[in-house]
Amino acid sequence: MLFEVEIPTRERFQIVDVTERIQAAVWRGKMKHGLAVVYTKHTTTGLLINEPEEGLLQDFKAKMKELIPKGAGYLHDRIDSNAHSHLRAGLLLNPEVVIPVDQGELQLGTWQRVLFVELDGPRHRRVIVMLCPCSEYPEEE
Ligand code: ZN
């Protein structure tokens, strides 16, 4: 089962907590046990699972800017000036996260949230949630 989650972003570089939207897709799909594959179809966005504490989110952004600064003589900037966004997406993040689902609930740790990272916004983004039920799961009593 495939679901699409809409993520309108408001800033150039923004980290959005999309956990509730992913959980809602799992409920909509009525999947009890399995894997939720969350996948972004864009080349200047990424996903990660971590703690959405405001200071930490600023730390993530500052470190990404430090590691891959904007406009450092990249060849792609001759086309559309967003090479740093592609590089941060490709080198520091992943296009997907996979989360186990048990009893219809995302199995995230106490401080874990699914974070969508906009690297070249604001734009209207779409993330796919593929629900993969586990057929070998033992029957419940
Ligand atoms: Zn580009």
Side-chain angles (χ1 to χ4, degrees):
M1 255 170 303
L2 193 67
F3 292 87
E4 225 177 47
V5 174
E6 313 259 333
I7 306 172
T9 60
R10 290 171 286 100
E11 294 160 34
R12 191 119 189 107
F13 189 176
Q14 185 185 1
I15 304 179
V16 186
D17 185 341
V18 295
T19 312
E20 299 309 325
R21 281 172 262 192
I22 307 304
Q23 179 65 66
V26 172
W27 286 332
R28 232 180 303 143
K30 297 183 176 18
M31 182 175 77
K32 282 195 82 177
H33 309 289
L35 298 173
V37 178
V38 185
Y39 183 83
T40 173
K41 293 173 81 176
H42 309 284
T43 56
T44 54
T45 68
L47 289 159
L48 78 151
I49 293 179
N50 218 289
E51 182 181 346
E53 187 273 319
E54 198 46 49
L56 181 61
L57 296 183
Q58 294 306 316
D59 292 336
F60 268 118
K61 289 165 75 171
K63 185 52 80 174
M64 283 192 249
K65 287 178 182 173
E66 178 195 320
L67 292 171
I68 301 176
K70 185 179 179 183
Y74 310 116
L75 299 179
H76 181 70
D77 283 346
R78 293 183 301 201
I79 300 168
D80 64 1
S81 303
N82 67 353
H84 62 289
S85 308
H86 291 280
L87 291 170
R88 288 171 191 167
L91 298 175
L92 305 177
L93 297 165
N94 291 310
E96 90 294 332
V97 291
V98 178
I99 308 151
V101 172
D102 189 54
Q103 302 295 347
E105 301 289 329
L106 293 171
Q107 295 301 292
L108 293 167
T110 307
W111 307 109
Q112 286 183 316
R113 306 287 286 181
V114 184
L115 306 176
F116 176 86
V117 185
E118 171 62 82
L119 297 161
D120 196 29
R123 295 198 206 194
H124 197 87
R125 303 295 200 170
R126 285 188 178 83
V127 158
I128 275 173
V129 182
M130 182 80 182
L131 300 181
C132 309
C134 183
S135 56
E136 297 297 310
Y137 210 87
E139 286 299 314
E140 282 162 63
E141 299 299 311

